[in-house]
Amino acid sequence: MSFTGKYELQSQENFEPFMKALGLPDEQIQKGKDIKSISEIVQDGKKFKITVTTGSKVLHNEFTIGEECDIEMLTGEKVKAVVQMEGNNRLIANLKGLKSVTELNGDTITNTMTMGDLTYKRISKRI
């Protein structure tokens, strides 16, 4: 199953408490909570390019499954991480105390980020 495509954010859960826990300023959280973000994923075998556009903010990450890379966090900080693939539709990364699981089911992509006992979930549909 290929992740390649463009996905529009449909819903999210626990955005504000999660962003506060990450250390984002309230002003940025308020601005970001109602903006529809678009994720564009290009998969070429084990190589991935992911671009997430939220308003004027663009987050761009590239990685190869199983190899260490630099991932830009939502805070703008770059951290070293290794992204693993589970089955053919799930990407898992551990970034500085944060676990990110991205799962593709048909035209729906679900990204769940967990930090301690706090979970933030984003659901996007292919457009």
Side-chain angles (χ1 to χ4, degrees), residues 72-115:
E72 187 179 346
M73 306 265 293
L74 297 165
T75 56
E77 179 185 2
K78 292 211 184 248
V79 296
K80 296 246 178 259
V82 177
V83 181
Q84 300 292 352
M85 187 173 252
E86 200 175 84
N88 66 352
N89 70 330
R90 188 182 282 195
L91 299 172
I92 299 170
N94 288 297
L95 323 154
K96 205 180 156 196
L98 173 90
K99 182 177 183 181
S100 171
V101 178
T102 303
E103 190 168 352
L104 178 64
N105 286 309
D107 285 336
T108 303
I109 214 160
T110 304
N111 178 233
T112 308
M113 288 185 262
T114 310
M115 190 169 51

Side-chain angles (χ1 to χ4, degrees), residues 52-70:
V52 181
T53 306
T54 309
S56 61
K57 184 164 173 48
V58 179
L59 198 65
H60 182 76
N61 285 307
E62 289 186 37
F63 59 87
T64 300
I65 298 297
E67 292 181 16
E68 189 177 71
C69 62
D70 286 317

